[in-house]
Structure formats: C-alpha cells, structure tokens
Amino acid sequence: MTDMPDTLTVSCLCGTVTGRISGAPLNSANCHCKTCRKNTGAAFNSIVLVRETDFSVLSGQENLRNFRLGEQGTKHFCVTCGTSLYNVISKFQGIVLIPLGAIDEPQHCTPTLNVYCESMLPWVGKLTEMPSFPQGVPNPKGKQG
C-alpha cells in the first residue's frame, strides 16, 4: 500500500451508494479465480481486504442488493448501476473484500500479490508487453481517437 490516507472512500458508478474505509487495508490482491472473472466480467479482480469493523456504508443502503456467490460468499452491489461494492467470503471471517474499482482513491491500494494463479488466463502475464495508449483506442486507420 502506498502513502495511505486516514480514510478511503468507496462509491458506485451512479454515486447513490457510498462507503468509507477507516483503517489501513490488510492487503490488496489480484484474484484470477473463475468466480471473480464471472463476477467482474474481467480477466481478474483486483480486491482490497479490510477489517469489517473498518468499513461502513454511508449512504444508499436502500440501493444495496446482494447475490450469493455459491456457498462461499455474497456480493453486495448497487441495484441502480450494478457496481460491485463489497464481498463477504465465509472463509475470511471479519474481513470485507472491496473491488479496487469501487475505491475512489485506488492509487493508494496497489496489489501486492496474485491469487488463484492456476486459473490465470495465459495472456495476463504479457499485459506490459502490449501497446499502450494514454487515452482512447486507436482506430483501424491508425489514428488515435
């Protein structure tokens, strides 16, 4: 974790649900399991682990819904925009897993490890080798736009 402020804020895409992390996160990781891929629609899920006692929902509680992620846990998300705000996993009692994308200051939560690497898609390790652009997607005619 880098230069951690006293609190971090959590919010959904539409801004209806907000939350606060009031203590230092325990860790941050990239999870490559199939459940996380399905849950996020991405190649992996970057998550921040915090003590349950350090996390609180500040607004929009009435907009939160949950979905059982099998027998292991529950995803809590905004019913309006669909943003996943936090997960509770049975094997991590007292811990809340917050998707890095829901944290408003994600630069303070650099992942320090990868987990469930047996499920990692083969191209993920080559991300830094791919062409990168500061903004936008290049169009087929070679112009950035």
Side-chain angles (χ1 to χ4, degrees):
M1 309 289 162
T2 60
D3 248 351
M4 188 61 63
D6 291 340
T7 61
L8 295 171
T9 56
V10 176
S11 64
C12 63
L13 185 60
C14 70
T16 302
V17 182
T18 63
R20 178 178 55 229
I21 302 168
S22 58
L26 301 169
N27 211 337
S28 186
N30 296 317
C31 183
H32 297 272
C33 77
K34 181 179 179 180
T35 300
C36 278
R37 288 202 314 264
K38 291 288 187 181
N39 184 27
T40 62
F44 56 90
N45 185 14
S46 296
I47 52 173
V48 178
L49 289 80
V50 302
R51 288 177 188 84
E52 191 173 35
T53 55
D54 290 344
F55 176 69
S56 56
V57 175
L58 300 176
S59 67
Q61 181 76 38
E62 67 281 356
N63 259 44
L64 278 176
R65 297 296 184 275
N66 60 53
F67 176 76
R68 290 284 296 161
L69 298 168
E71 295 177 22
Q72 302 92 342
T74 304
K75 166 187 177 172
H76 298 267
F77 62 97
C78 174
V79 70
T80 301
C81 66
T83 300
S84 182
L85 291 148
Y86 66 98
N87 298 330
V88 178
I89 307 296
S90 60
K91 70 179 173 180
F92 296 122
Q93 291 295 315
I95 305 294
V96 176
L97 287 70
I98 301 175
L100 186 61
I103 297 176
D104 296 328
E105 308 86 0
Q107 69 275 15
H108 297 293
C109 303
T110 303
T112 58
L113 61 140
N114 288 294
V115 295
Y116 292 98
C117 293
E118 81 277 357
S119 303
M120 184 187 292
L121 297 174
W123 54 264
V124 169
K126 299 175 184 177
L127 287 174
T128 59
E129 299 170 17
M130 295 178 187
S132 300
F133 303 89
Q135 293 184 358
V137 177
N139 73 33
K141 296 179 183 174
K143 297 178 184 177
Q144 190 173 342

